Amino acid sequence: MLSLPSCPDAVLLNVWHHLLGDLPALIALAQTCRRLRVLTENDDDIWQSACFVAGFGWPIRREGPQQVRDMTYRRLARLIVKHTSICEIRSCTKANACFVEHYHRWPYVRIKTIHPEHALDFHPLYFYLHFSQSYGAAGQTRQQFRPFTPTPSPSPSPPPTAVQDSVSILLTQLPTFPESRYAQYGPLCLHPNASCAFATFPPVDRLEFENGEGDIFVIVENPGGCTVLDVNRALAELIPFDDRHLEFALGHYQELAFTSGLSLTQLANVISTDRGFLDDHEYPFLQHIITQL
């Protein structure tokens, strides 16, 4: 009887492809025997395919003095599975549900699905994280946008009453209480499942956003497919450095410090060490506030 360790590579890879999209099952399969572990460790392309079919990709990391040692898709798969077991936010642990539904509906290729002929559908988290809570009320409907060619570039231009809310976006960049870190998007980059979910279906490597006048106000690019975190950070960079947003951030930090029994300086030292799964997050206005103390 043929045993698993004695199977040819082609047979093992065929089993692997039948499990694409089920990251926990693939991780368990890779740990079944030494032969499978070696086979999967030496080929990150099969992990990229697995993550892609599951609806996840690496966001672009901000440049900095520190570099993440392991940016492989094997690590991404493990991050997602581990976070699923501890996160309390359903929209994070199930961030890929809509992608999997779309993927099985269309016969797209395994790794790259950029098809300008099809309208793009934005991930629900795009609306949840970046628009005020009034979005979705009666009369405000979600739109589908056709990409320009040759580069897929949907241009979301909701009605004037449903524009990106800078305060809502700012909240996705600010910290929360330590005991609430797995119950709130505070910040978003602490949640790899929501962050790494593709921002559109099908995934595209470039997104152009237009305002109501048709002018492009932000471009998001990621060769591996634009993720929710890529879009989130691009929109966060547009938050103006003004009194309104500075006072909002200051009030937020003061509330955290007061409740934690810390000074603002102590709070800054504590939260600055938590830079997200990419180890690159900078908390908005924090250094300016500390400098002004």
Side-chain angles (χ1 to χ4, degrees):
M1 184 176 180
L2 188 65
S3 63
L4 189 63
S6 62
C7 287
D9 287 354
V11 174
L12 296 178
L13 291 176
N14 190 47
V15 174
W16 180 273
H17 284 294
H18 273 84
L19 294 175
L20 285 180
D22 189 344
L23 295 182
L26 291 173
I27 290 175
L29 178 64
Q31 297 171 342
T32 302
C33 62
R34 181 178 299 177
R35 172 93 183 287
L36 276 167
R37 181 170 62 86
V38 172
L39 179 65
T40 56
E41 280 183 351
N42 295 334
D43 187 358
D44 200 47
D45 287 342
I46 64 176
W47 286 104
Q48 181 182 7
S49 178
C51 290
F52 183 90
V53 176
F56 299 106
W58 276 114
I60 296 295
R61 186 180 185 275
R62 290 169 173 163
E63 295 183 1
Q66 298 180 346
Q67 295 294 324
V68 176
R69 291 180 299 172
D70 184 5
M71 288 283 287
T72 63
Y73 282 92
R74 178 171 174 265
R75 176 174 178 262
L76 177 60
R78 292 179 177 275
L79 268 176
I80 290 167
V81 171
K82 179 180 179 181
H83 188 73
T84 301
S85 66
I86 59 178
C87 185
E88 302 173 28
I89 308 175
R90 182 174 175 81
S91 62
C92 180
T93 60
K94 302 293 184 181
N96 67 327
C98 59
F99 182 92
V100 173
E101 178 183 350
H102 278 296
Y103 184 86
H104 289 297
R105 190 183 305 164
W106 297 97
Y108 290 126
V109 293
R110 292 293 184 189
I111 293 189
K112 195 174 184 181
T113 65
I114 299 178
H115 290 261
E117 314 87 55
H118 294 285
L120 298 183
D121 192 18
F122 272 81
H123 195 290
L125 281 172
Y126 165 72
F127 300 93
Y128 176 76
L129 295 171
H130 306 129
F131 292 79
S132 64
Q133 294 184 359
S134 62
Y135 184 75
Q140 297 183 9
T141 57
R142 183 176 170 191
Q143 300 181 24
Q144 274 195 332
F145 305 93
R146 285 202 170 273
F148 300 116
T149 53
T151 304
S153 306
S155 306
S157 303
T161 55
V163 296
Q164 288 99 346
D165 177 20
S166 58
V167 173
S168 295
I169 297 170
L170 179 58
L171 279 171
T172 66
Q173 309 297 306
L174 296 174
T176 187
F177 298 102
E179 62 272 18
S180 302
R181 60 176 300 177
Y182 295 120
Q184 299 177 13
Y185 290 121
L188 173 63
C189 65
L190 294 183
H191 296 266
N193 298 39
S195 297
C196 298
F198 289 121
T200 63
F201 186 87
V204 293
D205 58 5
R206 178 184 172 93
L207 291 166
E208 295 178 357
F209 292 85
E210 297 178 356
N211 59 21
E213 287 73 41
D215 299 321
I216 296 174
F217 66 90
V218 66
I219 297 175
V220 183
E221 294 182 297
N222 184 337
C226 297
T227 66
V228 171
L229 185 62
D230 291 321
V231 174
N232 173 257
R233 285 181 164 179
L235 295 176
E237 291 177 0
L238 301 179
I239 298 175
F241 194 102
D242 57 17
D243 290 342
R244 177 193 175 214
H245 295 91
L246 178 59
E247 290 174 3
F248 182 88
L250 175 60
H252 186 88
Y253 291 128
Q254 287 176 330
E255 181 182 359
L256 289 179
F258 176 78
T259 306
S260 304
L262 303 172
S263 68
L264 276 177
T265 302
Q266 291 172 326
L267 176 70
N269 291 333
V270 170
I271 65 176
S272 294
T273 61
D274 200 352
R275 292 163 48 87
F277 67 95
L278 291 174
D279 193 28
D280 67 344
H281 184 63
E282 299 291 340
Y283 292 93
F285 303 105
L286 183 59
Q287 291 305 316
H288 174 79
I289 291 171
I290 298 303
T291 303
Q292 297 301 313
L293 291 178

